[in-house]
């Protein structure tokens, strides 16, 4: 086999996941997801490229669209990522903002995009209290409720209801026996990254905002730093983050593709 044909990335055994943590510093976005996979709290896979026994590049894939790359990233890295993620569906590979990386991804067929990260403004912060909407029952989501949610994204992120109940936090609004809106926190690395979903018939009633506030308050009380990320132009999510009192940290790049 020629050197140029050798695989760039090989899958890392779970017992070796700690070897890649130094590649993901404190300013890396979506660290709750990264540590969730590395701590085996979220379903995912990890591939690495090594040189002389040292991990120099890493790709982390969750079962959701969110994937994460760090280290020395090249065109060959993104070519290999496409192969490894084949059949995954839509992906967004978060990568460092260093010059040239986005171009390497684009040369491999990925489309550049930007996301925003928001976080709580200070230690001791708590989300503002919000009035709960009339006619809806607030409920903590357990394993049984999670398995009945109409939320494909949540299922792809967290896996089974049992895993969710052990490693995540969420609340929902119930009406007529159905969960019509839900919000969750991905927990990892001392962070809780929040997300929400509302059934189309129940949108425009302020349900996501009230639920995110519940998850945020629970997270803060349990010593977790609250984070929200969203697409650069997703105005509804930006408004929700600001309504919670979160402050914008930065824009960060992603490479998008349907694999």
């Amino acid at each position: 086999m020629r050197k140029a044909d050798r695989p760039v990335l090989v899958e890392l055994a779970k017992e070796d996941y700690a070897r890649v943590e130094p590649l993901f510093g404190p300013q890396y976005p979506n660290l709750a997801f990264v540590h969730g996979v590395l701590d085996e709290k979220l379903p995912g896979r990890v591939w690495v490229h090594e040189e002389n026994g040292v991990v120099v590049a890493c790709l982390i894939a969750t079962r959701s669209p969110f994937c994460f790359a760090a280290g020395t990233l090249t065109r060959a890295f993104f070519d290999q990522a496409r192969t490894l993620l084949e059949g995954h569906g839509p992906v967004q590979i978060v990568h460092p903002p260093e010059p040239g990386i986005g171009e390497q991804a684009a040369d491999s067929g990925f489309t550049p995009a930007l996301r925003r990260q928001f976080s709580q403004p200070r230690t001791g912060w708590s989300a503002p209290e919000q009035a709960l909407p009339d006619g809806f029952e607030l409920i903590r989501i357990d394993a049984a409720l999670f398995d009945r949610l109409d939320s494909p994204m949540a299922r792809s992120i967290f896996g089974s209801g049992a895993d969710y109940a052990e490693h995540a936090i969420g609340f929902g609004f119930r009406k007529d026996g159905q969960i019509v809106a839900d919000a969750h926190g991905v927990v990892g690395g001392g962070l809780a990254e929040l997300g929400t979903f509302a059934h189309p018939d129940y949108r425009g009633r302020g349900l996501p905002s009230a639920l995110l506030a519940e998850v945020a308050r629970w997270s803060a009380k349990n010593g977790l730093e609250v984070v929200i990320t969203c697409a650069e132009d997703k105005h509804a999510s930006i408004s929700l983050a600001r309504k919670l009192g979160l402050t914008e940290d930065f824009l960060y790049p992603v490479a998008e593709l349907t694999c």
Side-chain angles (χ1 to χ4, degrees), residues 11-252:
E11 189 159 7
L12 191 65
K14 291 183 177 180
E15 57 266 26
D16 292 327
Y17 278 2
R19 295 179 60 205
V20 308
E21 289 186 9
L23 294 180
F24 297 90
Q27 295 304 308
Y28 194 94
N30 302 108
L31 278 174
F33 278 85
V34 170
H35 287 286
V37 173
L38 296 182
D39 295 340
E40 299 181 58
K41 296 178 179 180
L42 295 179
R45 300 174 70 181
V46 179
W47 294 273
V48 298
H49 174 52
E50 296 185 71
E51 293 181 359
N52 300 318
V54 177
V55 175
V56 297
C58 174
L59 173 66
I60 297 175
T62 70
R63 292 182 184 172
S64 73
F66 305 119
C67 302
F68 309 95
T72 303
L73 307 183
T74 63
R75 163 72 186 271
F77 175 97
F78 286 103
D79 285 345
Q80 186 74 4
R82 288 190 61 169
T83 300
L84 292 171
L85 296 172
E86 185 175 357
H88 189 92
V91 298
Q92 295 186 354
I93 299 181
V94 178
H95 62 78
E98 281 80 0
I101 294 179
E103 289 78 0
Q104 300 281 9
D107 288 343
S108 295
F110 290 85
T111 300
L114 291 172
R115 292 180 63 83
R116 299 179 187 269
Q117 177 165 302
F118 298 82
S119 66
Q120 65 187 58
R122 62 189 179 278
T123 302
W125 166 92
S126 182
E129 294 284 345
Q130 296 189 29
L132 299 182
D134 292 336
F136 296 88
E137 177 188 6
L138 178 68
I139 189 167
R140 173 81 176 264
I141 296 175
D142 59 14
L145 281 174
F146 179 85
D147 285 333
R148 299 203 304 270
L149 290 180
D150 181 19
S151 185
M153 178 65 78
R155 288 196 297 274
S156 71
I157 291 171
F158 296 106
S160 70
D163 288 338
Y164 177 88
E166 183 176 0
H167 300 305
I169 173 63
F171 292 90
F173 280 128
R174 184 161 58 188
K175 187 175 180 63
D176 299 328
Q178 299 294 320
I179 301 296
V180 298
D182 49 273
H184 312 272
V186 175
V187 177
L191 305 169
E193 182 166 336
L194 277 52
T196 186
F197 173 83
H199 188 280
D201 292 344
Y202 291 90
R203 291 174 183 168
R205 307 190 189 190
L207 304 185
S209 178
L211 288 174
L212 285 173
E214 290 293 328
V215 179
R217 281 193 293 274
W218 184 95
S219 300
K221 287 177 182 178
N222 284 273
L224 301 171
E225 181 180 353
V226 173
V227 173
I228 287 180
T229 69
C230 64
E232 176 191 22
D233 58 353
K234 196 167 183 181
H235 303 296
S237 295
I238 294 170
S239 178
L240 284 173
R242 290 174 174 162
K243 187 173 182 179
L244 285 176
L246 305 183
T247 57
E248 184 169 347
D249 297 324
F250 45 72
L251 285 169
Y252 62 96

